Amino acid sequence: MIVQIIIASIFVVLGIIVLGGKGDMLIAGYNTASKEEKEKVNIKRLRLLIGGLLVVMAPLCFILDDNNNVNSGLIFTGIVVVLTIIVLVLANTWAMKK
């Protein structure tokens, strides 16, 4: 339970940093993108997506229980995969400048 609280706290802190505009270097791919590629991205929307994902992931940590239950691990993994796919699609469509 303590590990879950620590991981959830890390997700929340990182999410707040990204949402606050101070964590652009934490966004994979954006940090290493060239200036031309960065100009194609609506950074405010990308921050909202990535920061929101991190904050939403925090309570999901509590789906996992301490009994090493396979079902809770599969549920957690499934939810994380679906959320990640949704964020990836939105990051490549909604968060791009037109």
Side-chain angles (χ1 to χ4, degrees):
M1 184 68 161
I2 294 174
V3 173
Q4 294 164 327
I5 293 171
I6 292 170
I7 293 172
S9 300
I10 291 170
F11 279 143
V12 169
V13 168
L14 290 176
I16 291 170
I17 290 170
V18 171
L19 287 170
K22 302 293 183 188
D24 293 346
M25 71 280 195
L26 298 173
I27 301 174
Y30 186 78
N31 187 29
T32 59
S34 66
K35 187 175 180 181
E36 295 83 23
E37 290 173 337
K38 287 182 179 181
E39 290 174 358
K40 296 178 186 177
V41 177
N42 185 336
I43 189 62
K44 290 182 181 179
R45 288 182 176 183
L46 187 60
R47 285 181 194 141
L48 183 64
L49 281 171
I50 303 302
L53 175 66
L54 288 168
V55 172
V56 167
M57 292 279 293
L60 292 179
C61 294
F62 297 104
I63 290 175
L64 297 171
D65 58 10
D66 295 330
N67 299 330
N68 292 328
N69 187 354
V70 175
N71 289 335
S72 67
L74 289 175
I75 291 169
F76 176 78
T77 304
I79 292 171
V80 169
V81 167
V82 169
L83 284 174
T84 304
I85 290 171
I86 291 169
V87 168
L88 284 173
V89 169
L90 288 173
N92 285 299
T93 56
W94 182 68
M96 300 301 281
K97 290 182 181 174
K98 298 186 174 123

